[in-house]
Amino acid sequence: RIQCSRADSLFTGRAIKLFKLEAEGAEPEVLHGLEGILPSIKYITADVGPERGKLEESTYNECVEFLLARNFKILAQRITGRNVVLFKNQNWLYESSQT
């Protein structure tokens, strides 16, 4: 057992321009832990390659569906070798005051 904290309890009240998500197959769980602060994150880059569990499954579908449902869009992706996707938040809270 490992003690952990949700990211949305650690980064409240901050504008985050880029969140790099590399969790060795636990990307969906990290995204769920960010849910409370997603509006304050402008970009998320996620390594969604085949690293999940003993079967080394990809987290691509679950991560893409999660973020698209929360008004992020895919800006770029590379799905060969290292599977990396760059998302942009369409409703970034700080858009009017920061770039």
Side-chain angles (χ1 to χ4, degrees), residues 7 11 14-22 30-31 34 37-47 67 72-73 75-76 84-89 92 94-95 98-99:
F11 299 107
R14 298 181 185 179
I16 300 170
K17 288 192 178 179
L18 175 66
F19 187 89
K20 181 182 179 199
L21 177 54
E22 166 55 86
V30 173
L31 287 175
L34 289 171
I37 60 165
L38 283 176
S40 67
I41 302 173
K42 186 171 186 178
Y43 297 100
I44 295 176
T45 181
D47 181 330
L67 289 170
F72 279 76
K73 75 174 184 176
L75 289 184
V84 180
V85 184
L86 176 63
F87 299 91
K88 182 179 181 188
N89 187 346
W92 192 49
Y94 303 92
E95 193 68 57
Q98 300 175 11
T99 58

Side-chain angles (χ1 to χ4, degrees), residues 56-70:
E56 296 184 346
E57 297 172 306
S58 171
T59 57
Y60 177 86
N61 289 336
E62 192 171 350
C63 290
V64 167
E65 290 171 12
F66 180 90
L67 289 170
L68 292 180
R70 286 151 183 86

Side-chain angles (χ1 to χ4, degrees), residues 3-15:
Q3 183 178 356
C4 61
S5 298
R6 288 178 55 101
D8 57 9
S9 70
L10 300 173
F11 299 107
T12 59
R14 298 181 185 179

